Amino acid sequence: MSDELKMSVSGALKNKSGMKVVYVTFEDEGRRAEGELPECRITRNSGFTKQEIEALQQYMANQKDTIMKMAQSVNPMKAFLSGGDKSL
């Protein structure tokens, strides 16, 4: 992975099963991976290797509490109006 990896975090939402989830997006030089917390798994991938996906999943697991706190601070209306999620 490059040194320039962008991570975006959604606010907490309910999925189709009614479970609270947070969506995390990683972007790097035209590649994109989307994951979900609390499962800490990548659900969509475009361009990252299997090893990189495993590293992203491990990162989500290690930083789960921090990412969940970030999600709590997301203002859904502000994020919608600005056209994006909370980014690092």
Side-chain angles (χ1 to χ4, degrees):
M1 282 185 277
S2 116
D3 291 338
E4 297 292 324
L5 183 64
K6 180 180 175 185
M7 180 181 83
S8 299
V9 178
S10 75
L13 305 166
K14 291 195 179 200
N15 66 10
K16 295 174 187 175
S17 304
M19 187 172 122
K20 187 187 277 188
V21 295
V22 171
Y23 297 99
V24 182
T25 302
F26 298 95
E27 294 179 288
D28 177 12
E29 299 174 0
R31 302 179 302 169
R32 182 181 175 100
E34 298 175 14
E36 290 182 15
L37 291 175
E39 293 88 7
C40 300
R41 65 183 171 93
I42 297 295
T43 56
R44 293 185 183 157
N45 174 35
S46 177
F48 287 95
T49 67
K50 182 178 179 179
Q51 183 178 10
E52 290 170 327
I53 291 300
E54 290 172 1
L56 292 174
Q57 291 179 146
Q58 186 64 46
Y59 174 81
M60 287 192 301
N62 291 340
Q63 299 298 319
K64 186 176 182 178
D65 292 339
T66 301
I67 295 170
M68 294 300 271
K69 285 178 187 173
M70 289 173 63
Q72 291 174 351
S73 71
V74 172
N75 179 328
M77 186 55 77
K78 184 176 179 182
F80 173 75
L81 293 174
S82 70
D85 298 323
K86 186 169 183 117
S87 299
L88 291 178

